[in-house]
């Protein structure tokens, strides 16, 4: 018999909402959606960027770590700027986290370590994911947290 996961839910809604961002339009829409959920629920919004780890030979000498650090810094700046624009109108508690790895395993690690009550991700914008499965589908199939996929 398959192991059943027990969701810990209070009557006040989720306490931690994890949202994955990578700079794509769908991930930024997921961030907006998750921000609204966090605000309405009084939850902490944990914004997660998973930095890819590539084999040295695959990058042909390109400084991948520096590039992904720059992406993380840019994403954090975008989140900070958005939070600043709505200060005084909407208050959202948020944190920015980076994890290293492939997107699926990075999001699983983030959701586990941050004790997510809910996970929000954007739908895949890559055509090939229709055949091999997107991060969103894999997170849903994991069955460990409620997952919202934002188009």
């Amino acid at each position: 018999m398959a192991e059943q996961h027990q969701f810990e839910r209070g009557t006040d809604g989720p306490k931690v909402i994890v949202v994955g961002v990578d700079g794509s339009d769908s991930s930024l829409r997921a961030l907006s959606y998750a921000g609204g959920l966090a605000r309405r629920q009084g939850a902490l919004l944990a914004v997660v960027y998973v930095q890819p780890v590539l084999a040295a030979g695959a990058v042909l000498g390109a400084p991948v770590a520096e590039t992904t650090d720059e992406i993380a810094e840019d994403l954090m700046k975008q989140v900070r700027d958005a939070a600043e624009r709505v200060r005084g109108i909407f208050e959202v508690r948020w944190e920015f986290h980076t994890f290293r790895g492939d997107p699926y395993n990075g999001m699983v690690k983030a959701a586990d370590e941050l004790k997510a009550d809910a996970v929000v991700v954007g739908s895949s914008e890559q055509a090939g994911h229709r055949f091999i499965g997107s991060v969103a589908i894999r997170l849903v199939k994991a069955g460990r947290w409620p997952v919202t996929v934002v188009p």
Side-chain angles (χ1 to χ4, degrees):
M1 184 158 86
E3 177 184 333
Q4 291 189 2
H5 294 280
Q6 298 296 318
F7 291 103
E8 192 174 309
R9 298 285 173 261
T11 56
D12 296 333
K15 298 295 179 210
V16 178
I17 298 173
V18 170
V19 60
V21 295
D22 62 8
S24 66
D25 289 343
S26 66
S27 79
L28 297 177
R29 287 190 296 271
L31 174 61
S32 294
Y33 183 84
L37 286 177
R39 179 184 57 80
R40 288 186 295 279
Q41 296 290 336
L44 173 67
L45 178 63
V47 181
V48 172
Y49 169 60
V50 180
Q51 292 181 300
V53 175
L54 300 175
V59 297
L60 301 174
V64 174
E66 289 177 25
T67 302
T68 59
D69 286 344
E70 289 172 13
I71 293 169
E73 288 173 18
D74 182 59
L75 289 169
M76 187 167 55
K77 182 183 181 312
Q78 288 181 50
V79 174
R80 187 180 297 120
D81 290 348
E84 194 60 38
R85 281 193 301 274
V86 298
R87 185 187 302 268
I89 302 167
F90 300 118
E91 297 298 326
V92 177
R93 294 180 303 121
W94 65 277
E95 300 173 347
F96 188 89
H97 300 270
T98 59
F99 288 81
R100 289 192 183 271
D102 68 89
Y104 170 74
N105 287 311
M107 286 300 295
V108 167
K109 183 176 181 183
D112 283 346
E113 287 187 14
L114 299 170
K115 298 183 179 9
D117 292 300
V119 175
V120 179
V121 292
S123 61
S124 175
E125 295 182 350
Q126 297 179 7
H129 284 174
R130 286 187 301 236
F131 306 108
I132 60 172
S134 68
V135 172
I137 290 170
R138 292 174 68 195
L139 288 169
V140 169
K141 286 182 175 182
R144 294 167 63 179
W145 326 266
V147 177
T148 301
V149 182
V150 177

